[in-house]
Amino acid sequence: MTIQRMDNVLIVVDDLDAVVAFFVELGMELEGRSPVEGRWVERIIALDDVRQEVAMLRVPDGPGRIELAKFHTPKAISGAPQDAPTNTLGMRRIMFAVDDIDGVVARLRAHGAELVGEIAQYENIYRLCYVRGPEGIVVGLAEQLG
């Protein structure tokens, strides 16, 4: 038995509109957005009285997707601090390959994004950076050189 693909990554958010706008500005496409509730979802995630809104975004012409969920009930609980450093346990970032790192950073700054460190070059291969977006979500950007 083998894995067929990685389908998506789930990020629980409080401001669904802001996070959707951030990822759309990055270049992802909104596949859909809808409420999710009922016994079937409660059985899967082991929570009672679930009411949430879910947005699914996809990488254009690619297999990668991000699922964003806003819980109305039960209310989401906070995990690590939003400005947690990179060595904090847990999932720390999602990395995207981009073709113009400076342009992407400039566009994301209009949505409140801030550089975690700085844009740096790795040999003659990549320019890389981490950007902290809405709700502390960290996105890595990599621009291949040459």
Side-chain angles (χ1 to χ4, degrees), residues 17-75:
D17 292 330
V19 179
V20 166
F22 175 81
F23 281 110
V24 167
E25 187 65 48
L26 178 60
M28 298 192 79
E29 296 174 352
L30 180 63
E31 276 189 341
R33 187 169 168 165
S34 67
V36 176
E37 57 187 83
R39 186 68 190 131
W40 70 272
V41 72
E42 293 170 355
R43 289 176 37 215
I44 293 168
I45 65 175
L47 290 174
D48 292 325
D49 191 31
V50 172
R51 283 193 325 86
Q52 62 179 322
E53 185 175 1
V54 172
M56 188 67 76
L57 297 118
R58 68 180 174 85
V59 176
D61 302 323
R65 290 202 250 148
I66 294 176
E67 179 180 348
L68 302 173
K70 160 126 179 106
F71 279 81
H72 299 286
T73 61
K75 289 288 185 193

Side-chain angles (χ1 to χ4, degrees), residues 80-136:
Q82 285 191 4
D83 60 350
T86 307
N87 64 338
T88 302
L89 293 173
M91 190 173 77
R92 300 304 336 138
R93 64 145 172 86
I94 303 168
M95 179 69 80
F96 292 93
V98 299
D99 56 10
D100 175 16
I101 199 167
D102 297 307
V104 171
V105 169
R107 289 193 338 262
L108 294 179
R109 280 188 165 149
H111 290 269
E114 299 175 350
L115 283 171
V116 172
E118 60 187 58
I119 298 173
Q121 186 165 323
Y122 173 70
E123 299 181 354
N124 290 324
I125 303 170
Y126 286 103
R127 292 183 71 220
L128 304 150
C129 71
Y130 285 2
V131 175
R132 189 179 317 276
E135 303 196 25

Side-chain angles (χ1 to χ4, degrees), residues 1-2 46:
M1 189 149 65
T2 61

